[in-house]
Amino acid sequence: MDELRPLIPVLEEYKADAKLVLQFKEEVQNLTSVLNELQEEIGAYDYDELQSRVSNLEERLRACMQKLACGKLTGISDPVTVKTSGSRFGSWMTDPLAPEGDNRVWYMDGYHNNRFVREYKSMVDFMNTDNFTSHRLPHPWSGTGQVVYNGSIYFNKFQSHIIIRFDLKTETILKTRSLDYAGYNNMYHYAWGGHSDIDLMVDESGLWAVYATNQNAGNIVVSRLDPVSLQTLQTWNTSYPKRSAGEAFIICGTLYVTNGYSGGTKVHYAYQTNASTYEYIDIPFQNKYSHISMLDYNPKDRALYAWNNGHQILYNVTLFHVIRSDEL
């Protein structure tokens, strides 16, 4: 618990900022409505005063949105070990679109021949107890690239290139779809193996799939998916060999790739989907338990969730925010 305390102010600040944005939006909407009603009824002086208040609120809202805007990854904090449990490989996560007060943790041990997902009521329960609800998936999953998003779990069906969207409340399949040409069954896995051919992930803009194809010579392919239909919305072919990647995650539409999964580890490749460009970078981070088999970004928490050799870990991220000219 003591290790988690440094994360609390960061998460609380982010939640406070988000609430402040909503408050500003409501104030602007209310004042705009008042302006429309009073413009024809009152004098120019009062109208100008109200207009000034609206302008002031809009400036405050813009400043707040700039603070919360997407940015470029510049740093990763020291790891915080939340729990030690399970096998060497697995995944764990929270839902970035969960409503306020829903703090459930989802836990999936292993990378194949398993179909049971654990649900913990909160992060505190996850840390301190083994009290959980078990959900049985209709098929075993493949790899550790699962995500929970807006109440559904998305996973790669074992020994296939099929993606399944499974509703965790009704425990029914909502959609299945093949990811065309994607390698599977350890054809194009991450460097650590483990049937990690297809890695699903989410960021501020939605759902993504990271994989490789024969058509792209085994190099990483990034596709943005419709979270309801699972249709591919757009695809980018990179020149980075998937089998050479330790792990990968997406922040603000940029794919970040690590140079390995054991020993000294760093993020050293970034592909910007908004510009279809890439660069080599050098962002080291501590690989505390020497074997990372899952590394995913949660845009709600602004944190990286990792599974490291039977330990469930969190990292804070530092983003450099770029203010666009059209926001000024």
Side-chain angles (χ1 to χ4, degrees), residues 156 159-163 177-188 197-199 209-215 219 221 223 242:
N156 173 212
Q159 293 185 331
S160 78
H161 57 176
I162 294 174
I163 298 172
R177 189 175 294 275
S178 295
L179 193 59
D180 292 341
Y181 308 113
Y184 63 93
N185 201 24
N186 273 334
M187 179 182 293
Y188 294 123
D197 304 77
I198 297 174
D199 192 0
V210 171
Y211 53 101
T213 64
N214 287 333
Q215 290 78 358
N219 296 322
V221 176
S223 290
K242 183 142 189 308

Side-chain angles (χ1 to χ4, degrees), residues 2 18 38 56 93 119 135 154 174 187 207-208 251 266:
D2 290 340
L38 295 183
N56 179 262
M93 66 217 76
E119 171 194 334
H135 300 265
Y154 298 78
L174 297 181
M187 179 182 293
L207 179 66
W208 301 78
I251 299 178
K266 63 181 180 180

Side-chain angles (χ1 to χ4, degrees), residues 257-271:
V257 180
T258 70
N259 66 327
Y261 63 92
S262 61
T265 309
K266 63 181 180 180
V267 178
H268 81 137
Y269 177 86
Y271 185 90

Side-chain angles (χ1 to χ4, degrees), residues 68-129:
L68 294 173
C70 271
K72 179 179 180 180
L73 180 68
T74 58
I76 299 175
S77 74
D78 288 338
V80 175
T81 302
V82 177
K83 191 180 181 76
T84 300
S85 65
S87 65
R88 194 176 192 183
F89 316 95
S91 62
W92 72 293
M93 66 217 76
T94 58
D95 186 345
L97 291 186
E100 187 173 355
D102 183 350
N103 303 308
R104 288 177 293 176
V105 175
W106 307 92
Y107 176 100
M108 304 172 73
D109 191 12
Y111 63 80
H112 74 302
N113 287 336
N114 192 356
R115 60 176 69 185
F116 290 96
V117 182
R118 294 183 185 181
E119 171 194 334
Y120 293 83
K121 290 183 178 180
S122 68
M123 188 69 75
V124 173
D125 275 7
F126 178 65
M127 292 170 57
N128 298 320
T129 74

Side-chain angles (χ1 to χ4, degrees), residues 166-184:
F166 182 80
D167 186 274
L168 288 162
K169 184 176 181 180
T170 62
E171 299 199 337
T172 56
I173 293 178
L174 297 181
K175 194 67 182 177
T176 64
R177 189 175 294 275
S178 295
L179 193 59
D180 292 341
Y181 308 113
Y184 63 93

